Amino acid sequence: MIIAVDGPAASGKGTLARRIAVHFQYAYLDTGKIYRAVGYRVLTDGGDPQDVDAALQAAQALDPSTLDSPELTGDVAAVAASKVAALEPVRAALLDFQKRFAASPPKGAKGAVLDGRDIGTVVCPDADVKLFVTADVEERARRRHKELLDKGEPSIYPRVLQALKDRDARDSSRSAAPLKAAADAIVIDTTAMDPDEAFATALDFIQQRTG
Ligand code: C5P
């Protein structure tokens, strides 16, 4: 069983995907972390995330055991991620790892939940269930802003909003696997939903699709 969860940043897709994975005891892969790891590696090596050679080298050297590093959660890694993610050779180099995770989930799990931008369209076009999770950009910015403040980090709402708009624009306008809902995905708009409502909506849909 493969469940694809795509959508823009701060839409709630990560929280939802993780919860679905726990509920069904499936393996979970946050594919954004892969792009973040590659972008961050280029930066720490002193390179430019838009330099295809540097980014490809970092992608080829990806060590999946580093995906839980705390520095990958910040905005610096997010911006670098969206730059390396626009490079076709980088996406191609990372595809195999994601496909293998979906086809043979670790620890003998009977299914996998992957979240990202192109899971339903490119990584797992034959996924059993495809969800596209979205929300108004102002609401996503409010959530991200609150999350940062709750963590005790400095945050200025208009900057958070602009950063999300910039990232949405880069992710949606690129020619390589742009952010978009698969034709057979159900769209869950979480603007006016709390995480429990989003989860209940997703479970209903999963049950309809899979019996
Ligand atoms: O989901 P997250 O915000 O961690 O993703 C960081 C960036 O990685 C995104 O803005 C996007 O550019 C890129 N990404 C991607 N394809 C994926 C997952 C993430 O292009 N499947």
Side-chain angles (χ1 to χ4, degrees):
M1 172 71 77
I2 299 175
I3 301 181
V5 184
D6 290 303
S11 57
K13 69 179 186 312
T15 304
L16 179 62
R18 225 171 278 118
R19 201 160 160 186
I20 293 169
V22 169
H23 181 82
F24 291 107
Q25 296 184 329
Y26 292 163
Y28 167 63
L29 181 64
D30 171 356
T31 65
K33 285 279 176 70
I34 300 173
Y35 291 92
R36 285 169 181 259
V38 172
Y40 196 74
R41 172 75 187 267
V42 175
L43 288 181
T44 51
D45 286 349
D48 173 0
Q50 275 159 325
D51 170 357
V52 69
D53 292 334
L56 182 57
Q57 207 178 348
Q60 286 163 342
L62 176 76
D63 173 0
S65 71
T66 62
L67 296 181
D68 289 328
S69 302
E71 60 269 18
L72 299 186
T73 57
D75 251 21
V76 172
V79 172
S82 76
K83 291 181 179 167
V84 298
L87 305 170
E88 180 60 53
V90 170
R91 304 198 73 85
L94 299 173
L95 195 56
D96 199 44
F97 170 71
Q98 298 173 77
K99 280 184 178 289
R100 268 188 285 120
F101 185 98
S104 313
K107 299 183 185 156
K110 291 196 167 23
V113 183
L114 286 82
D115 85 49
R117 302 290 185 289
D118 63 339
I119 309 303
T121 51
V122 176
V123 178
C124 303
D126 298 327
D128 302 275
V129 176
K130 298 180 186 177
L131 307 175
F132 190 85
V133 185
T134 189
D136 288 352
V137 69
E138 285 82 7
E139 173 59 21
R140 289 188 280 125
R142 267 192 294 276
R143 290 176 192 166
R144 179 55 52 87
H145 178 58
K146 180 175 182 307
E147 194 181 296
L148 290 168
L149 295 179
D150 288 349
K151 278 200 271 179
E153 291 180 24
S155 179
I156 298 169
Y157 174 80
R159 289 206 192 147
V160 174
L161 177 62
Q162 192 55 49
L164 277 182
K165 285 183 176 171
D166 291 347
R167 197 138 68 92
D168 283 355
R170 245 193 321 271
D171 290 349
S172 307
S173 67
R174 68 187 181 210
S175 57
L179 166 68
K180 65 167 189 247
D184 50 350
I186 181 189
V187 177
I188 301 179
D189 187 329
T190 67
T191 307
M193 281 185 189
D194 66 21
D196 289 344
E197 287 169 305
F199 181 59
T201 307
L203 272 193
D204 265 1
F205 180 69
I206 293 168
Q207 264 142 21
Q208 273 171 38
R209 273 284 153 103
T210 63

